[in-house]
Amino acid sequence: MPYWDVDPAEFDRPKEECGVFGAYVPNDEAARLTFFGLFALQHRGQESAGIAVSDGNVVRMHKDMGLVSQIFNEDVLQTLPGHISIGHTRYSTTGASVLRNAQPIFCQSQVGEIAVAHNGNLINTRELRERMELEGEHFDTTGDSEVMARLLVRHMPLGIEEAVRRTMAEIKGAYSVCVLTPHALVAFRDPSGVRPLVFGAIRDGWMVASETCAFSPIGGNPARELEAGEAVLIDKDGPRFFQGAASDGEAMCLFEFIYFARPDSEMYHTSLYEARERMGRLLADEHPVEADIVVPVPDSGIPAALGFARATGIPYREGMVKSRYIHRTFIQPDQRIRELGVRMKLTPLRAAIEGQRVVLVDDSIVRGTTTKQIVKLMRDAGAAEVHVRITAPPIAHPCFYGIDMASKGELIASRESIAEICETIGADTLGYLSVENAIKAAGPGAKGFCTACFTGKYPIPVPQNIKKMAFEAPPDVGQLATVASGQPALFE
Ligand code: SF4
């Protein structure tokens, strides 16, 4: 059944591709734990989700389009008994948004079935796929994750550790991966550590997840992040760590700190909530302004707005209310509703805004369309001035590592100067946090970062043919929400 994304405020945000989760426990409840783990990782992808589970003999799987809570219920979980499980929640960046591209990917190998769940994006998919097809391989999906899964299958007769090493030697790009075999759970992270992956304990079992926020709802405790290029194999003998590929140096996605990951997660031993609050403080240092109130764009702008307010002494006010339940619907929105834009999601609080000089704090500007609408909301509610402050530095380059943030031509900061963007969005002033201060806010425990979408410096070299595609004419800016039927939903 087709669904329509009716969350216009999210259209101008970068989209995280996926969340992954894995559990190895001493009872039959691995799938149930994975359900709750995926539930906590829902923000990393809302198009499809799936769980694969092994009871030591048989690997079973269930996946579908939609939210985790729509796909799984007690009846479905009853069909997934076993002590080892992996799960995946997906927003597609490669491969269409259809069920056959949902994950985990399930493959038959000479040593039994395996299932693979992948967060990230491979940049040599095409050449690997062409080579493998020439060698007689058949693919069921159009995504890059099946290429990885089939490489693992090829090498499985050498043992799972060697299969991981050989697969990592062939694939290039950003990846955090969970693999389920009949007897083991394996997780590994790319040599630059672009996408997050954390390992931890749960009672007398073990788990891995994209973010630490998946641990606490199920009583787990994060132990440590996997290092760049590192893998962990968990079986009846417990967890064993090994280097799947030599590290190229840590280059964690800086956007995980700014926006993608949940604020209650920790990365590089740092609370993301506190990191975002520090971003707000540093933003106030870099771009001070005389104003009456600091207003966050909810929810992602809240910690930075608090930081800005505390650093300046300007009072923090909630200036708009966010509808929490607008997301997806099976009812097609008509043109009149589409024209409401962000008003479907955000309602200004006139009592707080009227006559005030407002500092509006948000996490990012991608195309500029949503920010423009929010500035207008403030003015329509009577704001005397609107000063926009953004914790992400200007996004001027596309991402090739698993984040869907539009082609270069669509990125407003690739076409316009900051003064021009300020005029386009209708603000009185506009200030972005610098890359240096965004990194500084991540805290002293932070290792290296990918900053490519801000600086154009790609830590994993991107082939020219892929770069060229991302620089070519963008799709219709209005066609930002792809529905399961393949029809676009137009809002802007
Ligand atoms: S290019 Fe930007 S969004 Fe992509 S991984 Fe690097 S920092 Fe993250």
Side-chain angles (χ1 to χ4, degrees), residues 10-74:
E10 299 303 318
F11 289 173
D12 201 25
R13 299 248 186 258
K15 304 283 193 305
E16 179 64 78
E17 187 182 0
C18 303
V20 295
F21 185 91
Y24 191 108
V25 290
N27 53 43
D28 250 7
E29 294 294 321
R32 186 175 301 274
L33 280 180
T34 303
F35 167 82
F36 285 107
L38 291 182
F39 198 67
L41 295 171
Q42 185 73 83
H43 60 289
R44 297 184 73 87
Q46 295 98 41
E47 287 191 356
S48 63
I51 294 175
V53 62
S54 170
D55 60 6
N57 294 303
V58 180
V59 173
R60 298 179 176 88
M61 186 171 70
H62 182 81
K63 59 185 179 181
D64 207 341
M65 304 301 293
L67 302 175
V68 175
S69 58
Q70 294 167 333
I71 297 168
F72 294 98
N73 56 34
E74 278 297 336

Short mmCIF file of all heavy atoms in Angstrom, two decimals, residues 10-74:
data_model
loop_
_atom_site.label_atom_id
_atom_site.label_comp_id
_atom_site.label_asym_id
_atom_site.label_seq_id
_atom_site.Cartn_x
_atom_site.Cartn_y
_atom_site.Cartn_z
N GLU A 10 10.58 17.97 7.92
CA GLU A 10 11.72 17.08 7.78
C GLU A 10 12.27 17.04 6.36
O GLU A 10 13.32 16.48 6.11
CB GLU A 10 11.33 15.65 8.20
CG GLU A 10 10.88 15.54 9.65
CD GLU A 10 11.92 16.02 10.64
OE1 GLU A 10 13.11 15.72 10.45
OE2 GLU A 10 11.55 16.72 11.59
N PHE A 11 11.56 17.62 5.41
CA PHE A 11 11.98 17.50 4.02
C PHE A 11 13.31 18.18 3.75
O PHE A 11 14.07 17.77 2.89
CB PHE A 11 10.94 18.11 3.07
CG PHE A 11 9.70 17.29 2.98
CD1 PHE A 11 8.61 17.75 2.31
CD2 PHE A 11 9.63 16.04 3.58
CE1 PHE A 11 7.47 17.00 2.23
CE2 PHE A 11 8.50 15.27 3.51
CZ PHE A 11 7.41 15.77 2.83
N ASP A 12 13.58 19.25 4.48
CA ASP A 12 14.80 20.00 4.21
C ASP A 12 15.90 19.61 5.19
O ASP A 12 16.80 20.38 5.45
CB ASP A 12 14.51 21.50 4.29
CG ASP A 12 15.56 22.31 3.56
OD1 ASP A 12 16.17 21.76 2.64
OD2 ASP A 12 15.76 23.48 3.92
N ARG A 13 15.80 18.42 5.72
CA ARG A 13 16.82 17.91 6.63
C ARG A 13 17.59 16.81 5.92
O ARG A 13 17.03 16.07 5.13
CB ARG A 13 16.17 17.27 7.86
CG ARG A 13 15.34 18.22 8.66
CD ARG A 13 15.98 18.48 10.01
NE ARG A 13 15.11 19.29 10.82
CZ ARG A 13 15.29 20.59 11.00
NH1 ARG A 13 16.30 21.20 10.46
NH2 ARG A 13 14.46 21.28 11.75
N PRO A 14 18.88 16.67 6.25
CA PRO A 14 19.57 15.48 5.77
C PRO A 14 18.90 14.25 6.37
O PRO A 14 18.43 14.29 7.49
CB PRO A 14 20.99 15.65 6.32
CG PRO A 14 21.07 17.05 6.81
CD PRO A 14 19.68 17.49 7.12
N LYS A 15 18.87 13.16 5.62
CA LYS A 15 18.24 11.94 6.11
C LYS A 15 19.30 10.88 6.40
O LYS A 15 20.11 10.54 5.54
CB LYS A 15 17.27 11.36 5.08
CG LYS A 15 16.19 12.33 4.61
CD LYS A 15 15.10 12.49 5.65
CE LYS A 15 13.89 13.20 5.09
NZ LYS A 15 14.19 14.50 4.48
N GLU A 16 19.28 10.38 7.63
CA GLU A 16 20.14 9.26 7.99
C GLU A 16 19.67 8.03 7.23
O GLU A 16 18.49 7.88 6.96
CB GLU A 16 20.02 9.01 9.50
CG GLU A 16 20.84 7.86 10.00
CD GLU A 16 22.32 8.07 9.84
OE1 GLU A 16 22.93 8.81 10.62
OE2 GLU A 16 22.87 7.48 8.90
N GLU A 17 20.61 7.20 6.84
CA GLU A 17 20.20 6.07 6.03
C GLU A 17 19.62 4.93 6.85
O GLU A 17 18.58 4.40 6.51
CB GLU A 17 21.37 5.55 5.21
CG GLU A 17 20.94 4.50 4.22
CD GLU A 17 22.09 3.96 3.45
OE1 GLU A 17 23.22 4.40 3.66
OE2 GLU A 17 21.86 3.08 2.63
N CYS A 18 20.26 4.53 7.91
CA CYS A 18 19.83 3.30 8.56
C CYS A 18 20.29 3.22 10.00
O CYS A 18 21.23 3.89 10.41
CB CYS A 18 20.40 2.08 7.86
SG CYS A 18 20.00 1.97 6.13
N GLY A 19 19.63 2.33 10.74
CA GLY A 19 20.11 1.92 12.05
C GLY A 19 20.27 0.42 12.07
O GLY A 19 19.48 -0.30 11.44
N VAL A 20 21.31 -0.06 12.77
CA VAL A 20 21.51 -1.51 12.87
C VAL A 20 21.57 -1.90 14.34
O VAL A 20 21.93 -1.10 15.21
CB VAL A 20 22.79 -1.99 12.15
CG1 VAL A 20 22.67 -1.76 10.64
CG2 VAL A 20 24.04 -1.31 12.70
N PHE A 21 21.22 -3.16 14.58
CA PHE A 21 21.19 -3.68 15.95
C PHE A 21 21.48 -5.17 15.89
O PHE A 21 21.10 -5.85 14.93
CB PHE A 21 19.80 -3.44 16.56
CG PHE A 21 19.70 -3.83 18.00
CD1 PHE A 21 19.97 -2.91 19.00
CD2 PHE A 21 19.37 -5.13 18.36
CE1 PHE A 21 19.89 -3.27 20.34
CE2 PHE A 21 19.30 -5.50 19.69
CZ PHE A 21 19.57 -4.57 20.69
N GLY A 22 22.14 -5.70 16.93
CA GLY A 22 22.36 -7.15 17.02
C GLY A 22 22.38 -7.58 18.46
O GLY A 22 22.79 -6.82 19.35
N ALA A 23 21.90 -8.80 18.73
CA ALA A 23 21.89 -9.31 20.11
C ALA A 23 22.26 -10.79 20.11
O ALA A 23 21.85 -11.55 19.23
CB ALA A 23 20.50 -9.13 20.73
N TYR A 24 23.06 -11.18 21.13
CA TYR A 24 23.37 -12.59 21.38
C TYR A 24 23.05 -12.83 22.86
O TYR A 24 23.71 -12.26 23.74
CB TYR A 24 24.85 -12.87 21.10
CG TYR A 24 25.20 -14.34 21.08
CD1 TYR A 24 25.49 -14.99 19.89
CD2 TYR A 24 25.21 -15.09 22.25
CE1 TYR A 24 25.80 -16.35 19.86
CE2 TYR A 24 25.51 -16.44 22.24
CZ TYR A 24 25.82 -17.06 21.04
OH TYR A 24 26.12 -18.41 21.01
N VAL A 25 22.00 -13.58 23.13
CA VAL A 25 21.53 -13.75 24.51
C VAL A 25 21.34 -15.24 24.81
O VAL A 25 21.26 -16.05 23.89
CB VAL A 25 20.20 -12.97 24.73
CG1 VAL A 25 20.43 -11.49 24.71
CG2 VAL A 25 19.15 -13.37 23.70
N PRO A 26 21.26 -15.59 26.10
CA PRO A 26 21.19 -17.02 26.43
C PRO A 26 19.77 -17.57 26.46
O PRO A 26 19.52 -18.58 27.09
CB PRO A 26 21.84 -17.07 27.82
CG PRO A 26 21.50 -15.75 28.41
CD PRO A 26 21.45 -14.77 27.29
N ASN A 27 18.83 -16.90 25.83
CA ASN A 27 17.45 -17.39 25.82
C ASN A 27 16.86 -17.16 24.43
O ASN A 27 17.57 -16.77 23.50
CB ASN A 27 16.62 -16.66 26.89
CG ASN A 27 16.74 -15.15 26.73
OD1 ASN A 27 16.68 -14.63 25.63
ND2 ASN A 27 16.92 -14.44 27.85
N ASP A 28 15.57 -17.37 24.33
CA ASP A 28 14.91 -17.31 23.03
C ASP A 28 14.37 -15.92 22.69
O ASP A 28 13.53 -15.79 21.81
CB ASP A 28 13.74 -18.31 23.02
CG ASP A 28 14.04 -19.48 22.09
OD1 ASP A 28 15.18 -19.55 21.61
OD2 ASP A 28 13.13 -20.30 21.88
N GLU A 29 14.83 -14.90 23.39
CA GLU A 29 14.20 -13.58 23.30
C GLU A 29 15.00 -12.59 22.46
O GLU A 29 14.81 -11.37 22.59
CB GLU A 29 13.99 -13.02 24.71
CG GLU A 29 12.98 -13.79 25.53
CD GLU A 29 11.57 -13.69 24.94
OE1 GLU A 29 11.21 -12.60 24.48
OE2 GLU A 29 10.87 -14.70 24.94
N ALA A 30 15.91 -13.08 21.63
CA ALA A 30 16.76 -12.15 20.86
C ALA A 30 15.93 -11.24 19.96
O ALA A 30 16.20 -10.04 19.85
CB ALA A 30 17.78 -12.93 20.04
N ALA A 31 14.91 -11.79 19.30
CA ALA A 31 14.10 -10.97 18.39
C ALA A 31 13.34 -9.88 19.16
O ALA A 31 13.21 -8.75 18.68
CB ALA A 31 13.12 -11.85 17.62
N ARG A 32 12.85 -10.22 20.36
CA ARG A 32 12.12 -9.23 21.16
C ARG A 32 13.04 -8.08 21.55
O ARG A 32 12.69 -6.91 21.46
CB ARG A 32 11.53 -9.90 22.41
CG ARG A 32 10.63 -9.01 23.24
CD ARG A 32 10.02 -9.81 24.37
NE ARG A 32 9.24 -10.93 23.86
CZ ARG A 32 7.95 -10.83 23.49
NH1 ARG A 32 7.32 -9.69 23.63
NH2 ARG A 32 7.32 -11.87 23.01
N LEU A 33 14.27 -8.42 21.99
CA LEU A 33 15.24 -7.37 22.32
C LEU A 33 15.54 -6.52 21.10
O LEU A 33 15.65 -5.29 21.18
CB LEU A 33 16.56 -7.99 22.79
CG LEU A 33 16.63 -8.50 24.23
CD1 LEU A 33 18.01 -9.07 24.47
CD2 LEU A 33 16.36 -7.34 25.18
N THR A 34 15.67 -7.18 19.98
CA THR A 34 16.00 -6.45 18.75
C THR A 34 14.86 -5.51 18.36
O THR A 34 15.09 -4.39 17.90
CB THR A 34 16.32 -7.44 17.62
OG1 THR A 34 17.40 -8.27 18.06
CG2 THR A 34 16.71 -6.72 16.34
N PHE A 35 13.63 -5.96 18.57
CA PHE A 35 12.49 -5.08 18.31
C PHE A 35 12.63 -3.78 19.12
O PHE A 35 12.51 -2.68 18.58
CB PHE A 35 11.17 -5.78 18.67
CG PHE A 35 10.01 -4.84 18.73
CD1 PHE A 35 9.35 -4.45 17.56
CD2 PHE A 35 9.59 -4.30 19.94
CE1 PHE A 35 8.30 -3.54 17.61
CE2 PHE A 35 8.53 -3.39 19.99
CZ PHE A 35 7.88 -3.02 18.82
N PHE A 36 12.90 -3.92 20.42
CA PHE A 36 12.98 -2.71 21.24
C PHE A 36 14.23 -1.89 20.91
O PHE A 36 14.22 -0.66 21.00
CB PHE A 36 12.93 -3.07 22.73
CG PHE A 36 11.55 -3.45 23.17
CD1 PHE A 36 11.23 -4.76 23.44
CD2 PHE A 36 10.55 -2.49 23.27
CE1 PHE A 36 9.94 -5.11 23.82
CE2 PHE A 36 9.27 -2.82 23.64
CZ PHE A 36 8.95 -4.14 23.92
N GLY A 37 15.29 -2.56 20.50
CA GLY A 37 16.48 -1.84 20.05
C GLY A 37 16.18 -1.02 18.80
O GLY A 37 16.53 0.16 18.70
N LEU A 38 15.49 -1.64 17.85
CA LEU A 38 15.13 -0.92 16.62
C LEU A 38 14.15 0.21 16.91
O LEU A 38 14.20 1.27 16.28
CB LEU A 38 14.50 -1.88 15.60
CG LEU A 38 15.42 -2.92 14.98
CD1 LEU A 38 14.63 -3.75 13.96
CD2 LEU A 38 16.64 -2.28 14.31
N PHE A 39 13.27 -0.02 17.86
CA PHE A 39 12.30 1.00 18.24
C PHE A 39 13.04 2.27 18.68
O PHE A 39 12.65 3.39 18.33
CB PHE A 39 11.46 0.43 19.38
CG PHE A 39 10.17 1.14 19.62
CD1 PHE A 39 9.15 1.10 18.68
CD2 PHE A 39 9.97 1.87 20.78
CE1 PHE A 39 7.96 1.76 18.90
CE2 PHE A 39 8.79 2.53 21.00
CZ PHE A 39 7.78 2.48 20.07
N ALA A 40 14.13 2.08 19.43
CA ALA A 40 14.92 3.23 19.90
C ALA A 40 15.74 3.85 18.77
O ALA A 40 16.19 4.99 18.88
CB ALA A 40 15.86 2.80 21.03
N LEU A 41 15.94 3.10 17.70
CA LEU A 41 16.74 3.61 16.57
C LEU A 41 15.85 4.07 15.41
O LEU A 41 16.36 4.33 14.31
CB LEU A 41 17.70 2.52 16.07
CG LEU A 41 18.78 2.07 17.06
CD1 LEU A 41 19.52 0.85 16.52
CD2 LEU A 41 19.78 3.21 17.32
N GLN A 42 14.56 4.19 15.66
CA GLN A 42 13.62 4.50 14.59
C GLN A 42 13.97 5.81 13.87
O GLN A 42 13.71 5.96 12.67
CB GLN A 42 12.20 4.59 15.16
CG GLN A 42 11.11 4.80 14.14
CD GLN A 42 10.81 3.59 13.29
OE1 GLN A 42 10.08 2.72 13.67
NE2 GLN A 42 11.38 3.55 12.11
N HIS A 43 14.56 6.77 14.60
CA HIS A 43 14.90 8.06 13.97
C HIS A 43 15.92 7.90 12.85
O HIS A 43 16.07 8.79 12.03
CB HIS A 43 15.47 9.02 15.02
CG HIS A 43 16.71 8.51 15.68
ND1 HIS A 43 16.70 7.46 16.57
CD2 HIS A 43 18.02 8.87 15.56
CE1 HIS A 43 17.93 7.21 16.98
NE2 HIS A 43 18.75 8.05 16.37
N ARG A 44 16.62 6.74 12.79
CA ARG A 44 17.65 6.57 11.76
C ARG A 44 17.08 6.04 10.44
O ARG A 44 17.82 5.87 9.47
CB ARG A 44 18.75 5.63 12.27
CG ARG A 44 19.49 6.19 13.46
CD ARG A 44 20.63 5.31 13.90
NE ARG A 44 21.77 5.35 13.00
CZ ARG A 44 22.75 6.25 13.07
NH1 ARG A 44 22.74 7.17 14.01
NH2 ARG A 44 23.74 6.22 12.21
N GLY A 45 15.79 5.77 10.39
CA GLY A 45 15.19 5.31 9.15
C GLY A 45 13.77 4.87 9.38
O GLY A 45 13.52 4.10 10.31
N GLN A 46 12.86 5.37 8.56
CA GLN A 46 11.44 5.09 8.79
C GLN A 46 10.75 4.44 7.60
O GLN A 46 9.54 4.39 7.55
CB GLN A 46 10.70 6.37 9.16
CG GLN A 46 11.14 6.99 10.46
CD GLN A 46 12.14 8.10 10.26
OE1 GLN A 46 12.00 8.91 9.36
NE2 GLN A 46 13.16 8.13 11.08
N GLU A 47 11.52 3.98 6.63
CA GLU A 47 10.85 3.43 5.44
C GLU A 47 10.55 1.95 5.56
O GLU A 47 9.55 1.47 5.06
CB GLU A 47 11.70 3.71 4.20
CG GLU A 47 11.65 5.16 3.82
CD GLU A 47 12.26 5.43 2.47
OE1 GLU A 47 12.80 4.49 1.84
OE2 GLU A 47 12.20 6.57 2.03
N SER A 48 11.47 1.21 6.15
CA SER A 48 11.27 -0.23 6.30
C SER A 48 12.07 -0.71 7.49
O SER A 48 12.96 0.00 7.97
CB SER A 48 11.70 -0.97 5.03
OG SER A 48 13.08 -0.80 4.80
N ALA A 49 11.77 -1.90 7.94
CA ALA A 49 12.53 -2.49 9.05
C ALA A 49 12.45 -4.00 8.96
O ALA A 49 11.53 -4.55 8.32
CB ALA A 49 11.99 -2.01 10.40
N GLY A 50 13.41 -4.68 9.58
CA GLY A 50 13.39 -6.14 9.55
C GLY A 50 14.23 -6.71 10.67
O GLY A 50 15.11 -6.04 11.23
N ILE A 51 13.91 -7.95 11.02
CA ILE A 51 14.66 -8.70 12.04
C ILE A 51 14.94 -10.09 11.49
O ILE A 51 14.04 -10.73 10.93
CB ILE A 51 13.86 -8.80 13.36
CG1 ILE A 51 13.69 -7.42 14.00
CG2 ILE A 51 14.55 -9.76 14.33
CD1 ILE A 51 12.80 -7.42 15.24
N ALA A 52 16.19 -10.55 11.65
CA ALA A 52 16.54 -11.94 11.33
C ALA A 52 17.03 -12.58 12.61
O ALA A 52 17.71 -11.94 13.41
CB ALA A 52 17.62 -11.99 10.26
N VAL A 53 16.67 -13.84 12.82
CA VAL A 53 16.99 -14.51 14.08
C VAL A 53 17.44 -15.94 13.81
O VAL A 53 16.97 -16.57 12.86
CB VAL A 53 15.77 -14.45 15.03
CG1 VAL A 53 14.58 -15.19 14.45
CG2 VAL A 53 16.10 -14.98 16.40
N SER A 54 18.36 -16.44 14.65
CA SER A 54 18.81 -17.83 14.54
C SER A 54 18.58 -18.54 15.87
O SER A 54 18.87 -17.98 16.94
CB SER A 54 20.28 -17.90 14.17
OG SER A 54 20.75 -19.24 14.29
N ASP A 55 18.11 -19.78 15.79
CA ASP A 55 17.99 -20.61 17.00
C ASP A 55 19.14 -21.61 17.08
O ASP A 55 19.08 -22.58 17.82
CB ASP A 55 16.64 -21.34 17.00
CG ASP A 55 16.47 -22.24 15.78
OD1 ASP A 55 17.43 -22.38 15.00
OD2 ASP A 55 15.38 -22.82 15.62
N GLY A 56 20.18 -21.37 16.29
CA GLY A 56 21.32 -22.27 16.27
C GLY A 56 21.29 -23.23 15.09
O GLY A 56 22.30 -23.84 14.75
N ASN A 57 20.12 -23.33 14.49
CA ASN A 57 19.98 -24.21 13.32
C ASN A 57 19.42 -23.44 12.12
O ASN A 57 20.00 -23.42 11.05
CB ASN A 57 19.03 -25.38 13.64
CG ASN A 57 19.63 -26.28 14.69
OD1 ASN A 57 20.73 -26.80 14.51
ND2 ASN A 57 18.91 -26.48 15.79
N VAL A 58 18.27 -22.83 12.36
CA VAL A 58 17.54 -22.19 11.27
C VAL A 58 17.59 -20.67 11.43
O VAL A 58 17.44 -20.16 12.54
CB VAL A 58 16.06 -22.65 11.28
CG1 VAL A 58 15.28 -21.99 10.14
CG2 VAL A 58 15.99 -24.16 11.19
N VAL A 59 17.81 -19.97 10.32
CA VAL A 59 17.72 -18.51 10.32
C VAL A 59 16.36 -18.12 9.76
O VAL A 59 15.97 -18.55 8.67
CB VAL A 59 18.85 -17.88 9.47
CG1 VAL A 59 18.64 -16.38 9.33
CG2 VAL A 59 20.21 -18.17 10.09
N ARG A 60 15.61 -17.35 10.54
CA ARG A 60 14.28 -16.89 10.10
C ARG A 60 14.31 -15.37 10.01
O ARG A 60 15.09 -14.71 10.70
CB ARG A 60 13.19 -17.31 11.10
CG ARG A 60 13.05 -18.80 11.25
CD ARG A 60 11.97 -19.13 12.28
NE ARG A 60 11.73 -20.57 12.38
CZ ARG A 60 12.40 -21.38 13.18
NH1 ARG A 60 13.35 -20.92 13.98
NH2 ARG A 60 12.12 -22.67 13.21
N MET A 61 13.41 -14.82 9.20
CA MET A 61 13.44 -13.36 9.02
C MET A 61 12.05 -12.82 8.76
O MET A 61 11.21 -13.49 8.16
CB MET A 61 14.36 -13.01 7.85
CG MET A 61 14.57 -11.51 7.69
SD MET A 61 15.85 -11.15 6.50
CE MET A 61 15.04 -11.63 5.01
N HIS A 62 11.81 -11.61 9.21
CA HIS A 62 10.59 -10.89 8.87
C HIS A 62 10.96 -9.45 8.60
O HIS A 62 11.66 -8.82 9.40
CB HIS A 62 9.56 -10.96 10.01
CG HIS A 62 8.28 -10.27 9.67
ND1 HIS A 62 7.28 -10.86 8.92
CD2 HIS A 62 7.84 -9.02 9.94
CE1 HIS A 62 6.28 -10.02 8.77
NE2 HIS A 62 6.59 -8.88 9.38
N LYS A 63 10.50 -8.90 7.47
CA LYS A 63 10.75 -7.48 7.19
C LYS A 63 9.59 -6.95 6.36
O LYS A 63 8.90 -7.69 5.68
CB LYS A 63 12.08 -7.29 6.46
CG LYS A 63 12.23 -8.00 5.13
CD LYS A 63 13.63 -7.81 4.57
CE LYS A 63 13.82 -8.55 3.25
NZ LYS A 63 15.18 -8.39 2.71
N ASP A 64 9.40 -5.64 6.44
CA ASP A 64 8.28 -5.04 5.71
C ASP A 64 8.52 -3.54 5.60
O ASP A 64 9.42 -2.99 6.23
CB ASP A 64 6.96 -5.32 6.44
CG ASP A 64 5.77 -5.34 5.49
OD1 ASP A 64 5.89 -4.80 4.36
OD2 ASP A 64 4.74 -5.91 5.88
N MET A 65 7.68 -2.88 4.82
CA MET A 65 7.72 -1.43 4.73
C MET A 65 7.00 -0.84 5.94
O MET A 65 6.03 -1.41 6.44
CB MET A 65 7.01 -0.94 3.46
CG MET A 65 7.53 -1.53 2.17
SD MET A 65 9.27 -1.21 1.89
CE MET A 65 9.25 0.57 1.66
N GLY A 66 7.46 0.35 6.39
CA GLY A 66 6.78 1.03 7.48
C GLY A 66 7.64 1.17 8.72
O GLY A 66 8.84 0.89 8.71
N LEU A 67 6.99 1.61 9.79
CA LEU A 67 7.69 1.81 11.06
C LEU A 67 7.83 0.49 11.81
O LEU A 67 7.04 -0.44 11.61
CB LEU A 67 6.92 2.81 11.92
CG LEU A 67 6.69 4.20 11.31
CD1 LEU A 67 5.79 5.03 12.22
CD2 LEU A 67 8.01 4.90 11.07
N VAL A 68 8.80 0.43 12.69
CA VAL A 68 9.06 -0.80 13.46
C VAL A 68 7.78 -1.27 14.17
O VAL A 68 7.43 -2.45 14.14
CB VAL A 68 10.19 -0.54 14.49
CG1 VAL A 68 10.40 -1.75 15.38
CG2 VAL A 68 11.47 -0.15 13.78
N SER A 69 7.06 -0.32 14.78
CA SER A 69 5.86 -0.68 15.55
C SER A 69 4.71 -1.12 14.64
O SER A 69 3.77 -1.78 15.10
CB SER A 69 5.41 0.50 16.41
OG SER A 69 5.16 1.61 15.58
N GLN A 70 4.76 -0.75 13.36
CA GLN A 70 3.72 -1.19 12.43
C GLN A 70 4.02 -2.59 11.89
O GLN A 70 3.11 -3.33 11.51
CB GLN A 70 3.62 -0.21 11.25
CG GLN A 70 3.15 1.17 11.64
CD GLN A 70 3.36 2.20 10.52
OE1 GLN A 70 4.25 2.05 9.69
NE2 GLN A 70 2.55 3.24 10.53
N ILE A 71 5.30 -2.93 11.84
CA ILE A 71 5.70 -4.19 11.20
C ILE A 71 5.65 -5.37 12.16
O ILE A 71 5.28 -6.48 11.79
CB ILE A 71 7.14 -4.03 10.63
CG1 ILE A 71 7.14 -2.95 9.54
CG2 ILE A 71 7.67 -5.35 10.09
CD1 ILE A 71 8.53 -2.51 9.13
N PHE A 72 6.01 -5.11 13.43
CA PHE A 72 6.14 -6.22 14.39
C PHE A 72 5.05 -6.14 15.46
O PHE A 72 4.73 -5.07 15.96
CB PHE A 72 7.52 -6.18 15.05
CG PHE A 72 8.62 -6.46 14.07
CD1 PHE A 72 9.33 -5.41 13.50
CD2 PHE A 72 8.94 -7.76 13.70
CE1 PHE A 72 10.33 -5.67 12.58
CE2 PHE A 72 9.94 -8.02 12.78
CZ PHE A 72 10.63 -6.97 12.21
N ASN A 73 4.49 -7.31 15.76
CA ASN A 73 3.57 -7.45 16.88
C ASN A 73 3.86 -8.79 17.54
O ASN A 73 4.77 -9.52 17.12
CB ASN A 73 2.12 -7.32 16.42
CG ASN A 73 1.79 -8.31 15.33
OD1 ASN A 73 2.32 -9.44 15.32
ND2 ASN A 73 0.95 -7.92 14.39
N GLU A 74 3.09 -9.14 18.57
CA GLU A 74 3.35 -10.39 19.30
C GLU A 74 3.30 -11.60 18.37
O GLU A 74 4.13 -12.51 18.47
CB GLU A 74 2.33 -10.56 20.43
CG GLU A 74 2.68 -9.80 21.67
CD GLU A 74 3.99 -10.26 22.32
OE1 GLU A 74 4.42 -11.40 22.12
OE2 GLU A 74 4.61 -9.42 23.02
#
